[in-house]
Amino acid sequence: MSADPRRAVPRTDTLLADPALADAASRLGRELVKDAVRAVQSRIRAGELAPDDAVAAVLAGLPSTASALRPVLNATGVLVHTNLGRAPLSAAAVEAVVAASGTTDVELDLSTGRRGPRGEAAIAALLAAVPAAGAAIVVNNCAAALALVATALGGELVIARGELVEIGDGFRIPALLESTGARLREVGTTNRVTLDDYRDALYDDTGAVLKVHPSNFVVRGFTRAVPVHELAEALANSGVPLVADVGSGLLRPHPALPDEPDLQTTLADGADLVLASGDKLLGGPQAGLVLGRADLVQRLRRHPLYRALRVDKTTLAALEATLRGPQPPVQQMLAADVDGLRARARALAGRLAAAGVDAHAVDSAARVGGGGAPEHPLPSAAVSLPEPFAEPLRRGARPVVGYVADGRTLLDLRSVPPSADDDLAAAVLEVAQRWP
Ligand SMILES: *Cc1c(COP(=O)(O)O)cnc(C)c1O
């Protein structure tokens, strides 16, 4: 080897011709491999790496897929974490996505060879899960569902002041509604609204009465809201549709979340349309679900804007598999029994402590997240580690995101699938081994 490592920097062409790298280039694309080659060449030039190790270093520097998005272990205890992509898909939904990702019969009837209704099976699965609905459509997300409703039903939308909600990251529902050209008629006060407030606000150009579930906050004290069934009764002969944005996507009431509205009950209570997200408590792909009266759903489907908001075949596949397949991860996490979580925390902490890591099991409080059930902590268990673990765990080969409380890094297990416990232990041990 030459004394000056810079003289021995392998050429790009030579490296790309290596069979292992050529194979990687056919899988990941030449540009991605070239980027990794350039990074390795500059390390060799800087004298940080021996030229003979170039191929191994390029391979080590390659991402596992052609996307920069990486799998992350969510140990935050927030089951539906928007920054971590909300609901993880079930294995059945992932399989369905893969199967549908090529050319697929999303809009073709294979028996006749003619065009068929798009995503018919996913819609049928939704209607089977929510029998109170006459029809359904699926759009990009719940915000898209709101935009479509505001555009298609339009005119003036009547909404309680206490329901002018900001969801997160500056997303304000009233601003979204107004951006469509609809006008808002705000009724009631911040803390109180009555049936008469709604009745007095109805005019000829009222497009809909909109109820928005205040997902991420609660108002306590001298408060009053009008339940869906009372509002529905009062609107019955007015011809004004009642639209309820329930947000979380629960299909039916959930015993662990008594304050969270669900699609079936809200429709049974008399709402004409319900809107929800697909990737919150439903546990499916990002989507906006619109269910309810068939004539209203048809009006939305016929509106030109629908075409701009409709979803991809892979979303339809994931949604159908979430509805028809085995319980998705979010619902398993919600149902997990706290004794089981404690046992996992003890087992993990024991393994880590045996390897010399300052780890122990603690009780913790998990949350639904994604703007759901803000006042409803879920009893949970966590592995407690020294605070300095937080950052290297995030930056590891298999990133783990926990949280820091009282000077300790906590890895909450309610948001981690049990099948990932070994990966979690391995990630912690890897950090511990690199400890100075
Ligand atoms: C989360 C939420 C939304 C926004 O849903 P996206 O699917 O993220 O667009 C709208 N309304 C309510 C009540 C929500 O909780």
Side-chain angles (χ1 to χ4, degrees):
M1 208 203 317
S2 151
D4 183 349
R6 279 161 291 193
R7 298 241 174 89
V9 176
R11 288 164 44 97
T12 305
D13 289 348
T14 313
L15 284 174
L16 288 175
D18 179 277
L21 296 191
D23 181 54
S26 69
R27 205 164 45 82
L28 298 171
R30 206 173 151 84
E31 285 312 306
L32 242 164
V33 178
K34 262 185 172 168
D35 287 346
V37 162
R38 282 189 208 102
V40 161
Q41 286 169 327
S42 69
R43 283 170 62 199
I44 294 172
R45 231 170 267 124
E48 293 168 15
L49 192 76
D52 285 350
D53 296 334
V55 170
V58 172
L59 286 172
L62 286 173
S64 54
T65 69
S67 157
L69 288 177
R70 299 165 66 191
V72 172
L73 282 174
N74 172 13
T76 60
V78 179
L79 307 192
V80 178
H81 198 301
T82 300
N83 302 149
L84 295 177
R86 290 199 182 156
L89 295 179
S90 67
V94 171
E95 266 178 41
V97 165
V98 171
S101 59
T103 40
T104 184
D105 57 343
V106 66
E107 220 173 293
L108 188 79
D109 182 339
L110 291 173
S111 59
T112 61
R114 294 212 183 86
R115 180 187 195 136
R118 187 179 175 83
E120 196 178 20
I123 299 293
L126 264 178
L127 296 178
V130 184
I137 49 171
V138 184
V139 289
N140 180 57
N141 56 11
C142 191
L146 281 163
L148 184 58
V149 162
T151 307
L153 305 186
E156 202 161 74
L157 301 169
V158 176
I159 181 168
R161 287 206 164 81
E163 296 178 6
L164 300 169
V165 178
E166 175 169 328
I167 298 294
D169 193 29
F171 166 50
R172 294 179 169 175
I173 287 180
L176 170 76
L177 297 171
E178 284 178 325
S179 76
T180 68
R183 280 166 289 113
L184 299 187
R185 179 163 294 269
E186 301 171 15
V187 296
T189 61
T190 308
N191 53 331
R192 286 173 74 85
V193 63
T194 65
L195 206 46
D196 282 341
D197 291 328
Y198 282 104
R199 275 204 198 97
D200 292 348
L202 302 183
Y203 290 91
D204 290 345
D205 62 346
T206 304
V209 170
L210 186 60
K211 256 190 90 64
V212 176
H213 178 56
S215 326
N216 51 6
F217 68 100
V218 287
V219 182
R220 251 195 298 266
F222 187 53
T223 65
R224 180 164 171 182
V226 183
V228 167
H229 68 92
E230 280 180 30
L231 206 43
E233 208 173 300
L235 291 174
N237 298 316
S238 68
V240 175
L242 173 59
V243 180
D245 171 9
V246 303
S248 71
L250 272 187
L251 298 172
R252 286 160 186 285
H254 196 290
L257 302 169
D259 299 328
E260 214 44 45
D262 66 276
L263 297 168
Q264 172 68 16
T265 307
T266 307
L267 283 175
D269 279 352
D272 296 294
L273 286 177
V274 286
L275 319 180
S277 298
D279 54 356
K280 293 181 179 172
L281 292 174
L282 184 68
Q286 179 186 304
L289 314 177
V290 183
L291 296 93
R293 246 172 63 192
D295 61 317
L296 290 174
V297 171
Q298 187 65 358
R299 238 167 101 188
L300 301 183
R301 196 203 310 274
R302 292 260 171 261
H303 194 281
L305 184 63
Y306 167 67
R307 178 56 188 247
L309 304 176
R310 73 175 196 187
V311 293
D312 177 55
K313 61 196 175 186
T314 55
T315 301
L316 291 165
L319 180 63
E320 184 188 349
T322 299
L323 291 162
R324 292 223 195 266
Q327 198 180 41
V330 168
Q331 282 164 39
Q332 290 175 10
M333 291 167 180
L334 203 54
D337 144 72
V338 69
D339 289 333
L341 296 171
R342 287 188 182 124
R344 284 170 59 199
R346 278 196 303 272
L348 272 168
R351 274 164 77 178
L352 297 170
V357 181
D358 166 17
H360 54 269
V362 294
D363 278 355
S364 59
R367 285 184 292 133
V368 167
E375 295 285 283
H376 205 86
L378 304 163
S380 189
V383 175
S384 166
L385 297 168
E387 178 171 341
F389 270 76
E391 197 217 313
L393 276 174
R394 274 199 320 274
R395 297 162 64 102
R398 177 76 195 267
V400 175
V401 182
Y403 66 101
V404 172
D406 300 327
R408 299 284 291 181
T409 290
L410 299 186
L411 304 180
D412 193 297
L413 296 183
R414 193 180 276 277
S415 54
V416 177
S419 60
D421 282 359
D422 286 344
D423 288 345
L424 194 66
V428 175
L429 289 173
E430 203 208 280
V431 170
Q433 274 154 20
R434 286 190 276 123
W435 216 250

